[in-house]
Amino acid sequence: MNVGHELNLELLKVLLGPIAPWLEDPAVTDIVIYGHRDVYVRRQGEGLRAMDAGWRSASDLVLAAESIAEVIHRRLDADHPLLDSRLPDGARVNIVIPPCSPAGACVSIRLFPQRRHNAGDLLRFGTLDDTGLAILRAVVALGRNILISGGTGAGKTTLLNVLGGFIPADQIVVTVEDSREIFLDRKLWAALESKHPRHADDRPVTLADLVRNALRMNPRWLIVGEVRGAEALDLIRAFNTGHAGLSTIHANSAADALLALENLVLQGGLDIPARAVKELVARAIHVVVQVSHYPDESRKVAEIVEVDGLDYAASATFPPYRVIPLYQFVFEGYDDQDRLRGRFQTGGRPTFPDELRLRRIPCPEVWL
């Protein structure tokens, strides 16, 4: 850590003085501020709780928010009232100030654990079981393109980091993100991050720009932290050119994830027929992993499905996706302490066990 980095962190602690104790608490995952007197904190495995903390006035909180933007070299003022970035320690911060937030500044901070979760942690947390982990290891080993879907805070990025750890050490990985959240323990890794303009004449570097450039870096794996805009078309084109890929998307189910990816491409404004987009998505995405956040604050791999093209028999004009359910979490109720009860179960047989044997990749026992 360099001196400038340390100074920035100390200055941020001063600016965020009323919430400094929670910024340094390793158990805290989220801090939400809705106005100068409304502070909420979420610790791992718990819901949001109101805290007796805040700023003296609404203007003090706005001033603190604007000062934070200066420290991280971003613009935040009445003409640019939105900021989505990360702090020097890697924490994600989103700020909205007046006039877009008339009642006062809103600040959301997502903190990341000092020790990154690994596959063993996911098993211990009950996010999935040994069979689910074996399935995901096999999918990564084959270089299949994987889309991880889920809601905010469901654990998409945590799972993405774990799957990234399964990539063989001799394969080049390029990651593309808006704000750095991917951390891989490997040498052959180039981490790219988008650039927001700092002044009127400054040109932004978008995720779409970075995806196109990443393909010129000869990666075996292209990992896009989250697809949510114009980069969607570049992403599915890249995934259709022989590169292995990983990405996340906001969606409530595996089926919704594929439709959401379609819609992002269509919203790009290019003159591409809807059926052609569907065909591109069906070829680009091989496996969808849905992660869900449940009322008891647990996170589970809710389903893993293989995408096996389009079902032209169902509709020749606009065929649906043909999917093979491989794995799912079956909800059974709650215990007397309101903890989720359920079981993981496997589904159909995928198309690739023979390829696993051909390439001498360990095959999950359920498919033997």
Side-chain angles (χ1 to χ4, degrees):
M1 183 181 292
N2 59 45
V3 174
H5 183 94
E6 291 177 343
L7 289 174
N8 281 346
L9 283 175
E10 291 305 314
L11 180 54
L12 283 168
K13 290 176 184 177
V14 173
L15 295 171
L16 296 170
I19 62 169
W22 299 295
L23 287 171
E24 298 178 344
D25 185 341
V28 171
T29 60
D30 294 274
I31 302 172
V32 180
I33 304 163
Y34 291 150
H36 68 290
R37 292 302 307 171
D38 295 317
V39 176
Y40 302 87
V41 169
R42 187 201 309 274
R43 287 185 171 84
Q44 191 166 14
E46 300 178 0
L48 284 171
R49 294 185 179 180
M51 296 294 158
D52 184 17
W55 284 257
R56 289 179 299 178
S57 67
S59 59
D60 282 352
L61 176 56
V62 171
L63 180 62
E66 291 174 343
S67 300
I68 292 168
E70 290 185 18
V71 170
I72 59 178
H73 307 294
R74 294 287 299 276
R75 184 173 177 180
L76 184 70
D77 52 38
D79 292 330
H80 298 79
L82 306 179
L83 183 149
D84 189 69
S85 188
R86 63 182 174 89
L87 303 179
D89 63 351
R92 183 78 174 266
V93 61
N94 183 278
I95 302 175
V96 186
I97 64 171
C100 287
S101 179
C106 295
V107 182
S108 301
I109 301 174
R110 171 68 59 82
L111 301 169
F112 295 97
Q114 296 178 359
R115 186 184 74 82
R116 304 289 163 180
H117 294 317
N118 56 32
D121 293 323
L122 298 189
L123 292 173
R124 183 163 51 86
F125 297 151
T127 304
L128 76 176
D129 63 7
D130 288 318
T131 299
L133 192 61
I135 290 172
L136 293 177
R137 282 186 182 276
V139 169
V140 172
L142 281 176
R144 291 294 198 263
N145 299 334
I146 305 167
L147 185 63
I148 302 172
S149 67
T152 301
K156 299 186 298 296
T157 303
T158 297
L159 181 59
L160 186 149
N161 275 303
V162 170
L163 297 190
F166 298 160
I167 298 173
D170 61 348
Q171 296 182 0
I172 296 174
V173 177
V174 177
T175 58
V176 172
E177 300 177 86
D178 258 334
S179 296
R180 180 84 168 273
E181 295 182 34
I182 299 172
F183 297 90
L184 304 177
D185 184 17
R186 59 183 299 114
K187 296 290 187 182
L188 292 175
W189 169 36
L192 310 183
E193 193 171 350
S194 63
K195 171 180 168 290
H196 296 267
R198 298 181 183 176
H199 50 76
D201 297 326
D202 196 6
R203 180 187 178 277
V205 179
T206 66
L207 284 183
D209 295 329
L210 292 177
V211 169
R212 287 191 290 269
N213 185 80
L215 298 181
R216 303 184 183 105
M217 299 172 68
N218 193 33
R220 174 66 180 101
W221 281 85
L222 172 64
I223 301 179
V224 178
E226 181 183 338
V227 57
R228 56 185 175 187
E231 71 279 357
L233 179 59
D234 297 286
L235 177 83
I236 62 172
R237 282 174 171 168
F239 284 11
N240 272 313
T241 56
H243 299 86
L246 261 171
S247 187
T248 75
I249 194 167
H250 278 267
N252 293 323
S253 68
D256 286 348
L258 296 169
L259 295 176
L261 187 56
E262 273 185 52
N263 288 331
L264 287 176
V265 175
L266 292 170
Q267 290 168 13
L270 297 178
D271 187 19
I272 304 176
R275 173 167 164 166
V277 171
K278 185 177 281 286
E279 290 172 342
L280 281 172
V281 170
R283 290 198 299 269
I285 305 300
H286 302 136
V287 173
V288 182
V289 183
Q290 176 71 28
V291 289
S292 296
H293 183 187
Y294 292 93
D296 67 345
E297 296 300 324
S298 65
R299 279 101 173 146
K300 307 284 186 188
V301 172
E303 57 180 331
I304 303 173
V305 304
E306 182 185 10
V307 182
D308 187 24
L310 297 175
D311 188 356
Y312 292 101
S315 172
T317 56
F318 203 65
Y321 294 99
R322 183 169 53 237
V323 298
I324 303 172
L326 304 181
Y327 182 84
Q328 66 177 328
F329 175 72
V330 180
F331 169 70
E332 295 178 333
Y334 289 92
D335 63 18
D336 54 7
Q337 295 182 337
D338 283 335
R339 290 178 302 197
L340 198 71
R341 288 192 299 105
R343 70 184 191 281
F344 294 105
Q345 68 179 29
T346 55
R349 185 177 176 81
T351 63
F352 48 77
D354 288 344
E355 187 177 353
L356 288 171
R357 287 191 288 271
L358 177 66
R359 295 174 55 182
R360 296 182 176 178
I361 295 171
C363 184
E365 289 185 7
V366 68
W367 298 336
L368 294 176

